[in-house]
Amino acid sequence: MRKLILICMLASAPALAQPITTGRGEPVVLAVDGTDIYVDVGARDGVGMGSRLELLHEIVATDPTTGKALHDRFALGELAVAKSGDGVAVAHATEDLAKRVLVGDHVRLVTAKQTFVDPWAEQVAASKVVAPPTVANGVAIDHAALARDAWQANLGAPPEPRIARWTELLASDPQTTYRRAIELEITSLRAQVVERDAALAKARTPSDDRTQRLSALAVELARAEPQTLTGVLAVDAVTTAVPDRPVALAFLVRAPRRVGRAYLYVRAHGDAGFHRSELARDGDAYLRGTIPADLMHGAGVDWYVEVTPPGNDAAAAAVGSQLEPRSIEVEAAVTEPPPAQGRSHVDLHVDYVDFDGRLSKGYDQYYQAEADFMYRFLEPVYSMRLGFGTLSGIGGPKNVIDTDPTQSCMENGVYQCKRVTFSYVYTEVELELRRNVALLLRPQIGVLATDTMPGDDATRCQSRDVAGCQFLTGIGGRMRLRLGEEQATNLVLGASFTRGVGTLLEAAYHWLPAPVVPVQITVQVTDQPVISDFGVRLIGDVGYKQLGWFYPSVRVSYQARSLDHTGVSGGMAMNFDW
């Protein structure tokens, strides 16, 4: 049955045309790119644009009876050649046909072969001149070889040797077939020599053309800047300069034929005579000179320029004159002031305050430490301080602390004191309202920890043991009024309040009984470290200012909340100024 089907297929196949004979085997499909089919036939096979190719697909079947391989080809369709090279063509197929094309399928030309001619090759062939053989003394003359030797000898040579070599060839080979071309070459070379010599002669010979062009340019500039372009020289000179620096001057030569040499005359205001220096040429159109730096002082300098014509020493004023010189004003010396002294100040101080006189065993003590940096702007804001501090202590009702027989701050078995730790930052602005009167404003904020549990552990709320501890944001402020100079004798009145810590009222008097011994006496009224009973502090601070930029000080204080609730304590401070 399979053999019968194969026989029917072969019988129904159309008759095949003659394949293209290319001498390199039957043409096949080389590649498929969409609907573009590349085949290995081209113009030398008579295939060009418009040619049509039949696409053949080879079928290989095996005879089941004999086992022989049966080969045959079937036409799948036609391809239209779009463009053709010498040995490869590109043909177009329909989309349906392109899907069935395989690389290796055969093609054959179904239209007549075309004949193609290379126009360039024909032109080259037509240009070849076949020279008739020339025989001299029985020897054949090779005109082409003689012309080639002369051409190679002329490569890179100047025009004169090339002319001589071609002339020698014409004399030795008068029958050369290249005579016309050689004569044209000689004529061209002679014209090049004439043009070259004329250009060289023009370059060597002084010409008025450049001078005329420069003069015309100067005239155009004069129309644009009539105030600075007058006479044989034009200049746009500076009118002001800085002291002790040279001044460069540049002049445009408006009439080059009238200027031989030029001289610059300069004197400082108040000098008896002028200093002369010759202007240097810069190309054909400019003259340049420099006023020395050693003359640039005082109120200014005077200067003028004289020129002499070529070949003549008679000088004439060109810019300014000895009687009416030009002037350059010398500005006043401007120097940067040195860094201001006494503007910066750093204050580091620590105080220990004991109100009940029992030191670490008491229940009314605290210490306070602060560090700040101040910069004096002087105006419009006199100064500003940035700082941080800490206050830590214990306090409570005075009567409980004094009357508890166990000295444990207990009343009816209840602990009445509390310990506080306040860490804070602040900014203080000092506004000078008028001379020797200033207002100081200082907001501050920090973290306040309060411990209401009895015991001597001052760091309990600062560790993991926080039973009985409270934490809140401590907000406060301080306002002071200064009467007198800040760095001399003055009186400062102030008040401050911090939530959870207490109130402080103060009056401080500062003076210098000796230049190196600053003294400050301060009176404070406060209920710190906790909001409870008020007490009074009397503080004396004495410093030693032997060095200009640093001085230490010590302070001693006496404080009391009542006649029998008193204590003595103190502190120290370090001050830096620059």
Side-chain angles (χ1 to χ4, degrees):
M1 177 63 69
R2 292 176 60 187
K3 185 175 180 180
L4 180 61
I5 294 174
L6 179 60
I7 293 174
C8 293
M9 292 175 61
L10 294 174
S12 61
L16 301 179
Q18 294 297 322
I20 303 173
T21 301
T22 65
R24 57 179 192 276
E26 293 185 355
V28 296
V29 174
L30 301 175
V32 178
D33 184 9
T35 59
D36 290 338
I37 312 299
Y38 294 84
V39 295
D40 63 343
V41 293
R44 62 187 178 186
D45 304 313
V47 176
M49 185 177 64
S51 298
R52 300 192 66 80
L53 301 175
E54 188 173 34
L55 182 65
L56 303 174
H57 185 62
E58 185 174 0
I59 297 296
V60 180
T62 303
D63 190 334
T65 304
T66 63
K68 295 182 178 180
L70 302 177
H71 298 265
D72 214 334
R73 299 174 181 172
F74 297 91
L76 298 180
E78 290 189 356
L79 307 175
V81 177
K83 52 186 176 180
S84 174
D86 189 40
V88 177
V90 180
H92 284 318
T94 62
E95 292 185 2
D96 293 338
L97 180 59
K99 297 177 181 179
R100 302 168 60 192
V101 179
L102 299 176
V103 175
D105 286 346
H106 295 270
V107 295
R108 59 186 173 187
L109 181 64
V110 296
T111 57
K113 290 186 177 182
Q114 302 182 43
T115 302
F116 300 96
V117 177
D118 188 347
W120 176 252
E122 287 191 342
Q123 184 177 356
V124 172
S127 63
K128 294 182 178 179
V129 178
V130 180
T134 302
V135 179
N137 299 324
V139 179
I141 300 176
D142 190 347
H143 302 294
L146 294 175
R148 183 173 58 252
D149 293 342
W151 176 75
Q152 291 179 347
N154 283 337
L155 291 177
E160 290 85 349
R162 294 167 64 186
I163 293 174
R165 185 68 180 83
W166 288 123
T167 303
E168 179 184 352
L169 175 62
L170 292 179
S172 61
D173 187 14
Q175 302 300 322
T176 180
T177 56
Y178 302 102
R179 172 176 289 275
R180 179 58 179 166
I182 294 173
E183 290 176 346
L184 291 175
E185 176 68 8
I186 293 174
T187 301
S188 175
L189 291 173
R190 287 173 175 168
Q192 295 176 30
V193 170
V194 172
E195 293 177 359
R196 182 200 63 189
D197 293 343
L200 291 175
K202 183 177 181 181
R204 296 191 187 101
T205 304
S207 174
D208 290 340
D209 180 62
R210 180 177 296 178
T211 301
Q212 294 173 359
R213 287 188 287 109
L214 292 176
S215 300
L217 176 60
V219 171
E220 293 299 324
L221 292 175
R223 293 175 182 173
E225 300 287 344
Q227 301 300 323
T228 60
L229 295 170
T230 58
V232 296
L233 299 182
V235 62
D236 188 9
V238 297
T239 57
T240 58
V242 297
D244 302 322
R245 291 188 182 180
V247 176
L249 299 175
F251 302 87
L252 173 66
V253 182
R254 300 184 62 214
R257 288 185 294 180
R258 295 170 54 188
V259 177
R261 307 179 74 175
Y263 300 93
L264 172 65
Y265 294 84
V266 184
R267 73 177 179 189
H269 286 178
D271 289 354
F274 287 86
H275 300 266
R276 189 182 82 161
S277 61
E278 185 173 358
L279 297 178
R281 286 192 174 273
D282 183 4
D284 297 323
Y286 290 96
L287 295 172
R288 297 187 183 275
T290 302
I291 299 178
D294 56 359
L295 296 179
M296 300 300 297
H297 59 80
V301 297
D302 297 328
W303 65 274
Y304 67 94
V305 175
E306 290 184 349
V307 298
T308 61
N312 193 334
D313 293 335
V319 179
S321 65
Q322 184 175 4
L323 298 179
E324 297 181 355
R326 297 282 188 93
S327 294
I328 298 178
E329 179 184 354
V330 178
E331 297 179 345
V334 178
T335 59
E336 184 176 354
Q341 297 294 321
R343 292 293 187 92
S344 301
H345 176 79
V346 171
D347 178 23
L348 308 172
H349 67 266
V350 59
D351 280 312
Y352 180 75
V353 182
D354 182 10
F355 269 97
D356 62 6
R358 296 177 57 195
L359 300 179
S360 62
K361 297 181 179 180
Y363 288 88
D364 197 359
Q365 296 84 23
Y366 69 91
Y367 76 88
Q368 184 175 21
E370 286 188 351
D372 63 45
F373 168 78
M374 178 181 72
Y375 186 81
R376 300 178 179 92
F377 298 100
L378 303 184
E379 59 181 17
V381 176
Y382 181 81
S383 69
M384 176 176 287
R385 290 178 177 85
L386 299 175
F388 64 92
T390 180
L391 184 149
S392 179
I394 186 171
K398 176 182 67 65
N399 59 335
V400 174
I401 297 173
D402 293 340
T403 60
D404 179 18
T406 65
Q407 296 183 347
S408 301
C409 196
M410 303 291 289
E411 184 180 31
N412 298 325
V414 179
Y415 183 68
Q416 298 295 326
C417 292
K418 61 181 178 181
R419 189 180 300 275
V420 297
T421 300
F422 180 46
S423 300
Y424 56 94
V425 295
Y426 60 87
T427 299
E428 186 171 67
V429 178
E430 185 172 359
L431 305 174
E432 195 165 57
L433 305 179
R434 54 182 299 177
R435 181 174 176 79
N436 297 332
V437 178
L439 180 64
L440 292 78
L441 302 175
R442 168 176 146 176
Q444 62 186 29
I445 187 172
V447 176
L448 176 64
T450 303
D451 182 8
T452 58
M453 296 291 289
D456 297 331
D457 188 1
T459 62
R460 194 172 60 81
C461 290
Q462 301 174 21
S463 62
R464 295 186 178 181
D465 184 7
V466 294
C469 299
Q470 294 181 349
F471 300 91
L472 54 86
T473 300
I475 300 176
R478 178 182 182 182
M479 182 175 65
R480 294 185 294 171
L481 179 67
R482 174 173 57 81
L483 305 174
E485 296 185 9
E486 183 253 334
Q487 300 187 69
T489 301
N490 60 71
L491 174 65
V492 177
L493 306 175
S496 66
F497 173 78
T498 303
R499 184 179 69 170
V501 177
T503 302
L504 174 67
L505 306 175
E506 63 181 333
Y509 179 67
H510 178 272
W511 92 103
L512 295 171
V516 297
V517 183
V519 176
Q520 179 173 293
I521 297 177
T522 305
V523 177
Q524 294 182 347
V525 177
T526 180
D527 59 352
Q528 295 177 349
V530 297
I531 301 176
S532 184
D533 302 298
F534 278 91
V536 178
R537 296 188 63 204
L538 179 62
I539 309 167
D541 186 300
V542 180
Y544 183 68
K545 201 171 184 179
Q546 182 63 43
L547 299 177
W549 58 274
F550 165 74
Y551 73 91
S553 67
V554 295
R555 63 182 69 189
V556 178
S557 65
Y558 176 80
Q559 45 275 332
R561 297 196 193 274
S562 64
L563 292 177
D564 57 353
H565 193 96
T566 63
V568 178
S569 54
M572 62 176 298
M574 292 185 292
N575 299 271
F576 302 86
D577 287 286
W578 69 92

